[in-house]
Amino acid sequence: MRIVADKLALYYGVEINLDSCNCTFKNITGDYSNRSLVAALNAISHINNITWKLENQQVEFMPKTNQ
């Protein structure tokens, strides 16, 4: 996941914080180069059953809460 996050950060010009989630990320494959950042983040979130937020060009992944 670190490689995917680094590529997304470079491509979209954002910082991606993987440490705040304390999650075990599943392997992700595919070509998201023609997709929006939101589409890529939604795919990552769906595969890993987590959520994300984008604030001040920083993406943070978080565990889903039961609300």
Side-chain angles (χ1 to χ4, degrees):
M1 183 61 197
R2 182 78 52 200
I3 293 169
V4 171
D6 290 345
K7 287 183 179 185
L8 289 173
L10 183 63
Y11 189 80
Y12 294 104
V14 296
E15 285 185 39
I16 299 180
N17 182 351
L18 298 176
D19 299 328
S20 62
C21 186
N22 196 21
C23 304
T24 301
F25 290 95
K26 296 178 182 175
N27 289 337
I28 297 174
T29 60
D31 182 5
Y32 290 90
S33 59
N34 292 323
R35 308 294 293 278
S36 69
L37 175 60
V38 170
L41 294 174
N42 283 339
I44 292 168
S45 294
H46 179 74
I47 291 166
N48 291 288
N49 196 32
I50 57 176
T51 189
W52 60 271
K53 71 176 178 178
L54 172 62
E55 191 172 287
N56 299 322
Q57 294 300 103
Q58 295 184 340
V59 175
E60 181 179 354
F61 289 102
M62 301 156 290
K64 282 188 177 178
T65 58
N66 294 330
Q67 294 181 342

